[in-house]
Amino acid sequence: MSWDPIWEKIYSERSWGKYPATDVVRFIARNFYFSENRKQVKLLDMGCGTGPQLWFMAREGFHVTGVDGSKTAVRIANERLDAEVPGWNGEVVEGDVVSLAYENEYFDAVLDIGVTPTTSFEVAQRIFSEASRVLKVGGLLYSRCLAKGCWGDDTGEEVAKNTYLVSEGPMVNQGAIRFTDKSEIQSLLPSDLELISIEVMSYGMEDKPVKQWMITAKKLGN
């Protein structure tokens, strides 16, 4: 199992993530707004949570799929989509992102907005391999992961390399959190995912920044 059950507790006890991230809006707009028939553009959000990215993409007319390990998050996402995006196309299901129930080369893009930082390095590699499997040739992966030097890095109990039960920062009480050095990014991806860009996003206080890598990769052909 790739997800920490603590997230079921989190989603059950408090509201979480209602609106889409601006970097996701930019990624979708940059790569898919030109599509002639958006209903035929299939977008997957791995670890979708309560569905803020799905809500945005469905409102824009795309075919959306969300997978999350939390039954509460899946219920909330489906209820909101049904209520606020009548006639939306796709599905939100409970599942494990290391073993997706979709055929090879099915999706035009796969999103990882904070899933892999909650897993070990090895599990993250498996998740990215599975993302590549379900991506069409030429399809895009967009992943956001916490960077070394982010607030919370090297605090609390270290449970694996660069992975902590952090004692400070916004990730406190969210299970084990892994921080990624830029030099590790390429080794996280399978050989058929070609890195296109690595951008950095940083916000917060100067001495306590929340720093994330924004990774875009493309599925290569045989």
Side-chain angles (χ1 to χ4, degrees), residues 196-208:
I196 295 175
S197 66
I198 304 173
E199 301 175 76
V200 64
M201 175 170 59
S202 183
Y203 57 91
M205 295 177 286
E206 184 177 356
D207 61 336
K208 295 178 179 179

Side-chain angles (χ1 to χ4, degrees), residues 3 13 58 65 79 110 117 125 130 156-157 164 176 182 185 197 205:
W3 74 288
E13 294 180 350
T65 299
E79 288 176 353
V110 174
Q125 288 178 312
E130 186 69 348
E157 179 186 354
Y164 302 87
K182 186 176 181 180
I185 293 174
S197 66
M205 295 177 286

Side-chain angles (χ1 to χ4, degrees), residues 18 32 49 51 71 88-89 99 107 109 121 126 130 136 138 171 184 186 189 216:
K18 189 173 183 180
F32 298 106
K71 63 181 179 181
W88 66 282
N89 295 293
S99 182
F107 293 102
F121 190 90
R126 291 171 58 195
E130 186 69 348
K136 297 176 181 178
M171 283 72 71
E184 298 176 312
Q186 182 65 70
L189 303 178
T216 304

Side-chain angles (χ1 to χ4, degrees), residues 40-203:
Q40 294 182 353
V41 177
K42 296 182 173 67
L43 307 174
L44 168 65
D45 187 1
M46 301 190 302
C48 62
T50 55
Q53 324 308 331
L54 297 174
W55 174 83
F56 155 67
M57 296 186 296
R59 281 170 60 93
E60 292 298 316
F62 297 104
H63 183 286
V64 299
T65 299
V67 178
D68 201 278
S70 166
K71 63 181 179 181
T72 297
V74 167
R75 175 182 57 78
I76 292 171
N78 273 303
E79 288 176 353
R80 187 185 184 199
L81 284 165
D82 289 343
E84 299 184 16
V85 194
W88 66 282
N89 295 293
E91 64 177 2
V92 187
V93 298
E94 188 177 346
D96 193 338
V97 295
V98 297
S99 182
L100 296 167
Y102 301 99
E103 62 189 45
N104 295 349
E105 300 182 5
Y106 184 76
F107 293 102
D108 295 282
V110 174
L111 305 182
D112 159 37
I113 308 303
V115 175
T116 53
T118 65
T119 70
S120 69
F121 190 90
E122 292 75 20
V123 170
Q125 288 178 312
R126 291 171 58 195
I127 292 171
F128 287 129
S129 291
E130 186 69 348
S132 180
R133 180 186 69 78
V134 299
L135 267 175
K136 297 176 181 178
V137 172
L140 298 174
L141 168 74
Y142 182 71
S143 175
R144 195 198 308 148
C145 62
L146 296 168
K148 291 292 293 178
C150 176
W151 189 13
D153 183 22
D154 202 23
T155 70
E157 179 186 354
E158 185 173 14
V159 295
K161 181 182 178 183
N162 295 333
T163 306
Y164 302 87
L165 298 172
V166 301
S167 59
E168 58 181 77
M171 283 72 71
V172 169
N173 297 324
Q174 294 182 18
I177 302 295
R178 182 175 51 80
F179 300 87
T180 301
D181 188 85
K182 186 176 181 180
S183 64
E184 298 176 312
I185 293 174
Q186 182 65 70
S187 59
L188 279 169
L189 303 178
S191 59
D192 58 354
L193 282 181
E194 179 185 35
L195 267 176
I196 295 175
S197 66
I198 304 173
E199 301 175 76
V200 64
M201 175 170 59
S202 183
Y203 57 91

